[in-house]
Amino acid sequence: MYACRTFGQLPLPEKASDKSNLLPSNVSGRASNVLRDILNQDSLVRFSMVQKIQSLVMDAIDNKNNRQLMKAKLSEVTKDLKDLETKSQNMEEENNKLKEELKTVYGTVNDNRNLTKDEIQNLDQKIKSKTSALHDENLKQTLKNAAFEKQLDLLNNTIKQTERGVRKDMETLKSSDMSTFERINTLNKSHVTEVNRNFVKIKELDDSFRNKSLVLENNDRALSQGIEVLQDQLSEMNATLQISGVEVLARQIKKMEDKFESFAVSVNETLNNDRQVLNELNRSLSEVLSINCHSCWDILRKYPSLKGTDGVYMITVASKVKLVYCDMSTDGGGWTAIQRRQDGSTDFYKTWSEYKQGFGESSTNYWIGNDAIYELTKNKDQELRVELQSFDGDTAYAEYSTFYVVDEYSKYKLTVSGFSGTAGDSMTYNNGYRFTTKDQDNDGYSVVNCAKANHGAWWYNNCVYANLNGRYGQSSVSGSQYLVWYHWKGWKALKQTVMMITHKN
């Protein structure tokens, strides 16, 4: 930090013996006061700029990931620079006025015949010294401004480089997505003809599996009978043991045990091999079937035999492949899960960008992504079902006959209505509100950011009765920041939740 420096008054010439004052009092006093005010004003301006520069540097360090705040700070500094430029212009005007005053002084000195030549030179030297000092200060300030503008340029370059990196990553991701989609299309074309064959193979394998299961059941019965016979033989051997030699009986028992163990191992290996083949065929068939499907409802509509087979499937949403959890059992099946909370292993306190793209594992905890929800619901033909489970084992549900969100430009504004169910209506309160995250405040509460206050992300009103993306509580603790559905369990944290959508009936 630069220390403030002030300058004294411009010294007045000494009185000559038996002479009047060398300068008129009104001219001398005015020039001195103007110079002092200019220097003080310059010191204050420099001190203010040093403080603002320090504030900007600290803000840049503390908020390096907050681009909007950085731009606001840069705008403020630009405004300050403009103000400084205006003040510099004012100072230049004051300098011009001072020069005019000095010219007047020179005129007065020249007119005063009683002023000696040495005194005139001394006064001239002092005036030049003060003028040179003022010029040096202006030069220093100019250099400081140039250095500060250089720092601003560096910050702007850093921001531009970051933006270029983000664009490059987005292009790479987009290219990867397109290549993946092309590969899937190629795979689809090459395997569609195999779908019917796979069905036949699965059916044949299933028949074979059932036949082998019957054989195993028969073998189990035979084993049971064999064990009974063995027990009878052991009993007889035990009875004979009193008569026969111990070594002979031990060899006979060992042979029977080895034969029985070999038979059991063979049966288990055959059963495990059949199960592995069946699982592989099921998994391959699931992938091929779901490539051209855009929702779980679409998969079930095209392949009704999958009804009752809950699990992870692949769908295409806006030309992008997504892994989603499909509920193929509840209320006719075909439900696409857009959110799941099963435990506390996934952090849901995420940014706007993360909620836009989606995150987590569809088999356990995940958010499908706001862009995907928009694509799935933009035709306004979806209904929503929310399933809840408490830590004491209670379950409940809430259904809404209308559910859709608009695009990112409108901040994923929510429309939800038509409640029915056993959990109580805790979501209509959010109807018509935009999505809010910890780094984008779009809620209906002007005092705080509801996402930060409730440790989540949601279509917050003022603030919320449902906070399904809140903190995972690990037990039935209470608080609005947890995973809660107020009209069912109040503010008690819930254990599991699922949000899923399907076509209206």
Side-chain angles (χ1 to χ4, degrees):
M1 180 182 294
Y2 295 96
C4 294
R5 292 182 293 175
T6 60
F7 297 87
Q9 264 187 330
L10 186 67
L12 299 176
E14 297 179 357
K15 292 183 179 180
S17 59
D18 299 328
K19 304 290 184 178
S20 61
N21 290 335
L22 296 177
L23 298 176
S25 60
N26 59 338
V27 174
S28 176
R30 196 184 335 158
S32 177
N33 290 334
V34 169
L35 180 59
R36 183 174 61 254
D37 291 341
I38 290 173
L39 295 177
N40 289 337
Q41 184 179 12
D42 177 62
S43 297
L44 291 175
V45 169
R46 286 187 290 103
F47 179 76
S48 175
M49 283 307 302
V50 169
Q51 287 184 325
K52 288 189 177 294
I53 291 170
Q54 289 177 336
S55 176
L56 176 64
V57 172
M58 294 303 296
D59 287 345
I61 293 173
D62 295 336
N63 302 290
K64 60 183 178 180
N65 294 324
N66 194 330
R67 190 173 301 167
Q68 292 181 345
L69 183 58
M70 179 64 73
K71 290 182 178 179
K73 290 292 183 182
L74 290 175
S75 176
E76 182 182 351
V77 171
T78 302
K79 182 180 178 181
D80 289 339
L81 287 174
K82 290 181 178 179
D83 292 339
L84 181 59
E85 183 179 0
T86 302
K87 291 179 180 179
S88 297
Q89 292 176 354
N90 293 335
M91 290 177 64
E92 185 176 357
E93 293 176 0
E94 293 293 337
N95 285 337
N96 291 333
K97 291 181 180 179
L98 179 59
K99 289 178 180 179
E100 293 296 328
E101 293 287 344
L102 292 175
K103 288 180 181 179
T104 303
V105 171
Y106 278 124
T108 303
V109 170
N110 290 330
D111 293 339
N112 193 340
R113 297 178 179 179
N114 295 323
L115 192 63
T116 65
K117 182 178 180 180
D118 292 339
E119 289 172 340
I120 292 174
Q121 290 177 350
N122 185 32
L123 181 59
D124 182 62
Q125 186 64 32
K126 289 180 180 180
I127 291 172
K128 288 181 179 179
S129 176
K130 292 295 183 181
T131 304
S132 176
L134 183 60
H135 176 74
D136 291 342
E137 289 298 323
N138 287 334
L139 180 60
K140 289 180 181 179
Q141 188 63 41
T142 302
L143 292 174
K144 290 177 185 177
N145 291 341
F148 184 65
E149 288 176 356
K150 185 177 181 180
Q151 291 179 355
L152 291 180
D153 290 339
L154 290 175
L155 288 174
N156 283 326
N157 290 334
T158 301
I159 291 173
K160 290 179 180 178
Q161 290 176 0
T162 303
E163 290 177 347
R164 284 195 295 270
V166 171
R167 291 194 191 97
K168 184 177 179 181
D169 292 341
M170 291 178 66
E171 291 175 357
T172 302
L173 181 60
K174 183 177 180 181
S175 175
S176 176
D177 288 343
M178 290 304 296
S179 63
T180 302
F181 182 66
E182 292 173 358
R183 182 176 60 84
I184 290 173
N185 282 337
T186 303
L187 179 66
N188 182 36
K189 291 177 182 178
S190 63
H191 285 84
V192 165
T193 56
E194 297 293 326
V195 172
N196 292 330
R197 297 177 187 174
N198 286 336
F199 272 123
V200 173
K201 288 181 181 179
I202 289 176
K203 189 176 184 305
E204 292 176 353
L205 188 60
D206 185 59
D207 292 339
S208 174
F209 183 74
R210 290 180 181 178
N211 291 334
K212 289 185 178 181
S213 296
L214 293 175
V215 172
L216 287 176
E217 290 178 1
N218 293 331
N219 289 337
D220 286 339
R221 284 194 292 271
L223 284 174
S224 298
Q225 293 174 359
I227 290 172
E228 292 178 357
V229 172
L230 180 62
Q231 288 176 345
D232 293 338
Q233 291 179 354
L234 286 175
S235 298
E236 294 177 0
M237 288 179 182
N238 286 331
T240 309
L241 186 61
Q242 300 175 358
I243 302 172
S244 303
V246 174
E247 293 182 359
V248 175
L249 289 174
R251 284 195 296 269
Q252 291 179 350
I253 292 172
K254 185 67 169 60
K255 288 180 180 180
M256 295 181 69
E257 288 178 348
D258 292 341
K259 187 183 294 184
F260 175 77
E261 182 177 356
S262 176
F263 176 73
V265 169
S266 176
V267 171
N268 286 331
E269 287 179 351
T270 301
L271 183 59
N272 289 332
N273 290 335
D274 290 343
R275 285 174 177 169
Q276 289 177 1
V277 173
L278 182 61
N279 290 335
E280 287 296 327
L281 284 174
N282 274 331
R283 189 160 44 249
S284 175
L285 179 61
S286 173
E287 293 179 356
V288 172
L289 292 178
S290 61
I291 286 174
N292 284 331
C293 297
H294 305 292
S295 68
C296 298
W297 179 86
D298 201 9
I299 294 174
L300 188 59
R301 182 172 59 88
K302 292 181 179 179
Y303 309 102
S305 62
L306 294 176
K307 186 175 182 178
T309 309
D310 301 343
V312 177
Y313 291 79
M314 283 194 305
I315 64 173
T316 54
V317 181
S319 301
K320 293 182 180 180
V321 176
K322 274 192 172 290
L323 288 175
V324 298
Y325 187 87
C326 293
D327 186 329
M328 299 298 195
S329 305
T330 302
D331 195 16
W335 294 91
T336 303
I338 61 175
Q339 184 252 30
R340 294 187 80 210
R341 303 291 298 273
Q342 302 296 306
D343 53 47
S345 61
T346 302
D347 183 15
F348 273 64
Y349 193 45
K350 303 285 189 181
T351 63
W352 179 269
S353 176
E354 289 169 308
Y355 270 95
K356 169 185 168 68
Q357 299 295 333
F359 56 86
E361 297 292 336
S362 51
S363 59
T364 53
N365 308 285
Y366 83 112
W367 180 262
I368 194 173
N370 288 338
D371 281 348
I373 297 175
Y374 161 67
E375 291 291 339
L376 290 169
T377 65
K378 64 182 179 181
N379 293 328
K380 304 179 182 179
D381 57 356
Q382 299 289 309
E383 59 180 299
L384 170 70
R385 181 182 176 95
V386 181
E387 294 189 342
L388 310 168
Q389 181 179 342
S390 65
F391 278 95
D392 54 12
D394 293 342
T395 59
Y397 75 94
E399 285 190 357
Y400 296 88
S401 58
T402 298
F403 174 81
Y404 63 89
V405 300
V406 291
D407 57 13
E408 184 180 16
Y409 179 79
S410 299
K411 307 300 183 183
Y412 306 111
K413 182 180 177 181
L414 170 69
T415 296
V416 60
S417 62
F419 165 78
S420 63
T422 61
D425 182 11
S426 291
M427 200 162 177
T428 302
Y429 180 69
N430 308 110
N431 181 50
Y433 284 87
R434 298 172 297 174
F435 202 79
T436 290
T437 59
K438 61 183 179 180
D439 59 337
Q440 274 215 34
D441 186 358
N442 302 312
D443 57 46
Y445 195 18
S446 60
V447 178
V448 299
N449 181 329
C450 289
K452 290 183 178 180
N454 294 280
H455 198 83
W458 199 249
W459 298 275
Y460 291 109
N461 181 344
N462 184 21
C463 279
V464 73
Y465 286 117
N467 194 31
L468 300 189
N469 292 330
R471 188 196 305 270
Y472 194 86
Q474 302 295 344
S475 63
S476 56
V477 294
S478 294
S480 64
Q481 74 272 26
Y482 294 109
L483 181 62
V484 296
W485 189 272
Y486 178 78
H487 291 92
W488 183 45
K489 291 292 184 178
W491 298 120
K492 285 188 177 181
L494 302 179
K495 183 179 181 180
Q496 294 182 358
T497 67
V498 179
M499 297 174 65
M500 51 190 185
I501 58 176
T502 192
H503 273 258
K504 295 181 180 179
N505 293 329

